Amino acid sequence: MTAGATLFEKVWNAHVVQRFDGDRDLIFIDRHVLQETTSAAAFTGLKRNGRPVVHPELTLATQDHIVSTEPVRDETSNPGGLELMRLMRANAAAHGIRHFGIEDPRQGIVHVIGPELGAALPGLTLACGDSHTATVGGLGCLGIGVGTSEVEHVLATQTLLLQRPKTMRIRFDGRPGPGVAAKDLILAAIGKFGISAGRAHAVEYAGAAIQALPVEGRLTVCNMSIELGARLGVIAPDDATFQYIAGRPYAPRGQDWEAALAEWRTLASTPDAVFARDVAIDCAGLAPQVTWGTTQEDVIGVDGRIPDPATYGDRDRRQRAAAALRYMDLKPGDAMEGLKVDIVFIGSCTNGRLSDLEAAARVARGRKVAPRVRAIVVPGSAQVKREAEAQGLDRVFLEAGFEWRSPGCSMCVSINQDVVPPGQRCLATSNRNFENRQGPASRTHLASPAMAAAAAVTGAITDSRKLAT
Amino acid sequence: MRKPFTAFRGIAAPLPLSNVNTDAIIPSDYLRSETTDLARGLFGRWRFDAEGKERPDFVLNRPPFRRAEILFAGENFGCGSSREAAAWALQRFGIRVVAAPSFADIFYENAFRNGLLAAVVAPDDLAAMVAALEAHPDDAQVEVDLASQTLVRGNAARIGFQVPAFRREALLRGDDEIAGTLRHVETIGRYVADDRARRGWAHRAIAPKENP
């Protein structure tokens, strides 16, 4: 294959329809996934200009952001979201787009159902009006998170006009110990390199610790690319990837499968590929990570202490850290472990897959949610929910006192009814700990599913490795 | 076509924070409907308290910045969620230019696609401008000239800003990007035909009208 090319460059270059000045390329989009909160205005724009959807057969839609996650629900369970849910349904119907509504067995979070259905595949480009679209990079699929104008652009042209990003590689060296999850690897990398390290770059995650991750863990790592500032993030597909894909509803079959597989085996970056930026992080000895502040780079090991802003050399960083500690009601030098929590949220496009729920259930099994803690488990999709129930995980959670809810984005974006009350502290497996993200004056700590379950059953941030079974 | 971006003079407001995320620019409460008041929602949690009363100390609640058309902000402006409502809310409030040392990738795209100028300024120029605006709020008029890529406050020295040439020209003309791409519809068609021959598996329908 191409000498000296990165995985990203191979996929990108195969999709260039035309090159333009200013390092811009018109890129063909193989798959387009729509959700209800970022697409309505795009359809309005199409209508205003009398433009059709050019490739409805390459497009699919779902409802995930604003849906109720009540255990028994329909569209009316969140009256405040009816307008957008109905618009999604009507727009999909009007344009012949397959729509997995709240009642459909394939409904779920866009970034969970894409891989699950085989809509996201290695070597493809996939666009979605959501910043976490790089999730599918875990399969070697180029996921491009876009705004609503770009959603309209894809609907009308099946292309995107994009500035070619620079290449960046983060090598995860060493072997993380037991109980250290994919979430910990990516949080540690964001802590080390910062929340804007990947801006204007397409990041490839590589190294022994990444290769050793199961496919769902790779999706978790790529999911948080945007938290590094990168719109794109990818991991080389391998036999584990191909095994994960085989037999999924929209995965290639027969001769198509053989042809696809032959191409997928050529996608990995060549050994002599050069990255514009090449950095590494050592994963040996890494503890489970927890964020203490209001950006994802504000992160430490669970065995660490809240940093003193005065120790930061940079004035801006010092002020931001001090403001974050005030917002989070924390003091420098406090131990992270032992900090009391009010709410625990397990779910989201970051950590709402079956293996995430399994990891949480291993900690929750036979234990009880601490008094005064509200703990909710929100599967990432209807399929994840079914598979978890087939294993009896719903009973494990329910018996321990967790809520077992219906699939959706839930307390990650808190645009439905799932909100953290003012001043309360939430340990969440999602991706954003911004001020007010989970509700006005909410306080968010990000961590892995096992860490979330450990906090739920102890009522405080706890090293989940101590509860491992 | 959208309205071409022309030179203007307007009030500039200082918001010298880094990493202003799109949740802060437009909280999710304002994303629940197509008809919410995005102008009121702009920096909603910073402008209004829990009862909906103005917080008098926030810059956009103070004269003359209540009528700001230009915002000087810190690095990595617009990080986080892809919500295009962040750009829409700035515009509905009346902001036509955000000047910052850097912008998050998706916000940057969203801004230009709506005719909002995201101007990259040097950190030193930003610091000087912010200091001047805070010291002299009575002299907060700034002249924006996209053609020459300059910003001038009163009689102070002009500062330059960076914007890629193609984006500058598109703003000055008021280009509709989709119309521009549709002019290449035959090229797209040729790409699809060639790629189908090469990678048929990639083009199989994922969502036919009949059940899979």
Side-chain angles (χ1 to χ4, degrees), chain B residues 144-164:
Chain B
V144 179
D145 184 19
L146 175 56
S148 66
Q149 296 181 210
T150 53
L151 303 162
V152 190
R153 186 188 64 90
N155 297 320
R158 61 188 59 227
I159 63 172
F161 63 84
Q162 302 298 313
V163 58

Side-chain angles (χ1 to χ4, degrees), chain B residues 79-155:
Chain B
C79 60
S81 153
S82 67
R83 58 188 67 173
E84 195 158 321
W88 299 335
L90 286 159
Q91 288 184 307
R92 301 274 173 84
F93 180 86
I95 303 285
R96 297 158 74 185
V97 180
V98 182
S102 60
F103 294 89
D105 291 350
I106 303 179
F107 175 82
Y108 192 68
E109 292 291 342
N110 289 342
F112 283 97
R113 283 176 162 85
N114 288 280
L116 174 69
L117 172 58
V120 174
V121 293
D124 289 350
D125 287 340
L126 173 78
M129 182 65 88
V130 165
L133 290 170
E134 286 174 346
H136 308 288
D138 51 330
D139 190 12
Q141 291 272 350
V142 168
E143 198 174 314
V144 179
D145 184 19
L146 175 56
S148 66
Q149 296 181 210
T150 53
L151 303 162
V152 190
R153 186 188 64 90
N155 297 320

Side-chain angles (χ1 to χ4, degrees), chain A residues 14-15 24 31 51 57 59 83 98 148-149 153 163 199-200 250 256 263 316 320 415 432 434 437, chain B residues 18-19 21 23 32-34 76 80-81 84 103 105 166-167 176 181 191 199 202 204 206-207 211:
Chain A
H15 289 83
R24 287 172 306 154
R31 304 285 185 263
R51 292 169 180 152
E57 84 286 3
T59 311
E83 175 194 336
R98 163 65 81 202
T148 300
S149 292
H153 194 282
Q163 199 136 20
R199 203 171 50 224
Y250 297 128
D256 273 355
E263 185 182 327
D316 179 63
R320 284 190 287 119
I415 191 175
R432 293 201 169 123
F434 300 160
R437 167 82 175 180
Chain B
S18 306
N19 307 317
N21 63 60
D23 277 85
R32 294 189 174 119
S33 161
E34 288 295 282
N76 200 30
S81 153
E84 195 158 321
F103 294 89
D105 291 350
F166 73 88
R167 293 192 192 272
D176 170 348
T181 298
Y191 169 88
R199 297 188 315 150
R204 306 282 182 252
I206 50 162
N211 262 311

Side-chain angles (χ1 to χ4, degrees), chain A residues 310-324:
Chain A
T311 59
Y312 292 116
D314 177 61
R315 182 164 159 269
D316 179 63
R317 181 82 180 92
R318 208 152 55 227
Q319 288 176 344
R320 284 190 287 119

Side-chain angles (χ1 to χ4, degrees), chain A residues 324-337:
Chain A
L325 290 185
R326 275 195 302 278
Y327 182 86
M328 295 296 290
D329 192 25
L330 295 172
K331 281 188 286 300
D334 282 358
M336 177 57 89
E337 203 168 10

Side-chain angles (χ1 to χ4, degrees), chain A residues 328-348:
Chain A
M328 295 296 290
D329 192 25
L330 295 172
K331 281 188 286 300
D334 282 358
M336 177 57 89
E337 203 168 10
L339 189 63
K340 297 245 182 316
V341 301
D342 305 294
I343 297 200
V344 168
F345 166 52
I346 298 172
S348 86

